[in-house]
Amino acid sequence: MLLADQDRSRWNTAQIAAGRAELDSALALGGHGPYVLQAAVTSLHAETPCDWVQLAALYGELAHLTGSPVVELNRGPHRFLRGHSAGIA
């Protein structure tokens, strides 16, 4: 299901806040590995409106770090949306 089609009122905001606190701790400790980048991507997806420019940058870093074709596949739409973010907001 697309994020745009989800009922955000049903999301567990306490768990989202706890996850973001863990991400903030990892970043404060200098974390920059694939799990930290994945957590940052997930955190941005939970925000409204979505920061497509930042998401594209994070996917770029993650693709460079992992060399994963799956990350490259997920990166494609974000690179496209980065250029069209004004029409999405």
Side-chain angles (χ1 to χ4, degrees):
M1 174 180 282
L2 297 174
L3 281 171
D5 296 334
Q6 293 184 20
D7 180 1
R8 290 176 180 251
S9 70
R10 299 184 68 186
W11 288 11
N12 187 323
T13 56
Q15 285 183 341
I16 293 170
R20 285 185 170 151
E22 292 292 332
L23 173 59
D24 290 343
S25 294
L27 292 170
L29 292 171
H32 193 72
Y35 296 118
V36 173
L37 290 172
Q38 289 172 26
V41 165
T42 301
S43 179
L44 283 175
H45 274 295
E47 293 182 8
T48 304
C50 195
D51 185 344
W52 298 106
V53 173
Q54 184 65 25
L55 274 170
L58 287 171
Y59 270 114
E61 289 182 50
L62 191 57
H64 177 74
L65 187 63
T66 65
S68 168
V70 174
V71 172
E72 277 297 329
L73 182 65
N74 286 325
R75 182 179 178 207
H78 293 88
R79 287 169 48 190
F80 171 78
L81 291 170
R82 172 186 61 195
H84 295 81
S85 60
I88 293 171

